[in-house]
Amino acid sequence: MSSAAPDPLAAPVVELANLVHEYPGAVATRVLSGISLTVRAGEFVAVVGSSGSGKTTLLNLIGLLDQPTSGTLRLAGCDVSRLAERERARFRRDYLGFIFQFHYLLPEFTVLENALMPCRIRGEAAEDEARPRIRQLLEQVGLGDRLGYRPGQLSGGQQQRVAIVRALANDPALVLADEPTGNLDSHNGRAVFDLMRELNRTTGKAFLMVTHDELFAARADRIIRLVDGQIQAGAEASALPDI
Ligand SMILES: Nc1ncnc2c1ncn2[C@@H]1O[C@H](COP(=O)(O)OP(=O)(O)OP(=O)(O)O)[C@@H](O)[C@H]1O
Ligand SMILES: [Mg+2]
């Protein structure tokens, strides 16, 4: 999974077929009604749509944080829709990285420790093995001189950069990012977006990023536009060349 050049013959990173999601309640709310979507290794895909259109729901399903009502979800060619929770947790840990609108860094740990946290959960050996790579990534995102700082000593943009490196800690094939720039001013938002795009290119990880910013979306390889629980036809092509 660490190669920057994706294997064109490999199974897609994500394959959704006719995915439906309803939230239970007195009257079940159908939020996604038949989503089919393929993301290939190394792709950078933007997900856009109005508030309440189901973007977070979609990411939560792909991130195995929730279960679809019906339809199929494959990660690396494996049907994960009906796996036991233990196996799902393993996919989450080994195959996926997550970036949220809020960074959720642990305040009592340093920058380096926070970025290494997903490896720490796998044990000391995994943490030792990952440390040089994580240090290098922290340098790449401009935090090489902040490794010993605590999150409270960083700016919002710097905190989010730590969260981006943390998402790459276990060398995932796919990074799911839900409005990663939503809590930042335009300058920091752009810097964080640029970094994700650069890391997408240099590490070969696929990114699926929810954004309300059309300029960022236009710089993705593809745009997925959610309308009324479905992908709007013809909306997948990128409007602007990436710059
Ligand atoms: N846990 C839940 N239980 C019931 N309904 C929910 C739940 N979570 C979300 N919904 C409903 O599902 C719909 C889609 O929500 P979702 O959070 O996926 O939207 P979104 O596109 O991410 O919106 P935003 O841009 O505001 O983040 C909304 O109408 C919401 O009310
Ligand atoms: Mg959302």
Side-chain angles (χ1 to χ4, degrees), residues 23-24 29 31 49-58 178-179 210 212 226:
Y23 285 107
T29 322
V31 177
S50 57
S51 178
S53 61
K55 304 179 298 296
T56 294
T57 303
L58 180 64
D178 195 351
E179 296 193 54
V210 171
H212 282 282
L226 285 181

Side-chain angles (χ1 to χ4, degrees), residues 51-70:
S51 178
S53 61
K55 304 179 298 296
T56 294
T57 303
L58 180 64
L59 251 66
N60 286 346
L61 293 175
I62 297 172
L64 307 181
L65 301 168
D66 204 349
Q67 299 252 29
T69 306
S70 64

